[in-house]
Amino acid sequence: MTKEELIKSFERNNWEFHEIYKQKLMALSYGDLLDKLIHLISQQAITVFGG
C-alpha cells in the first residue's frame, strides 16, 4: 500500500485531512506516517463549532 493509499484509507474510515496536512503527511517516511496515523486514531475527536 502506498502512502497515498494509506491516507485515503484512513480518510475513508475516519475523517478527511485538509490538503496542507495531507502534503505534510506525504512528506513523512512510510514508518513515520504509520506512527502518525496510529497516534491520530488513538486521540479523542475534537469538534469545533463556528459561532
Side-chain angles (χ1 to χ4, degrees):
M1 185 176 269
T2 67
K3 291 193 291 186
E4 187 173 285
E5 291 170 336
L6 190 60
I7 291 170
K8 284 181 182 179
S9 175
F10 183 88
E11 288 180 317
R12 183 173 51 251
N13 295 322
N14 297 282
W15 62 85
E16 288 188 33
F17 294 117
H18 189 276
E19 192 61 36
I20 294 171
Y21 196 67
K22 280 185 197 178
Q23 293 172 3
K24 291 181 178 185
L25 290 173
M26 288 297 291
L28 296 173
S29 70
Y30 195 84
D32 288 341
L33 175 59
L34 283 175
D35 288 344
K36 177 64 78 176
L37 294 178
I38 290 168
H39 175 74
L40 289 172
I41 289 171
S42 68
Q43 299 302 303
Q44 291 182 351
I46 298 172
T47 305
V48 178
F49 295 97

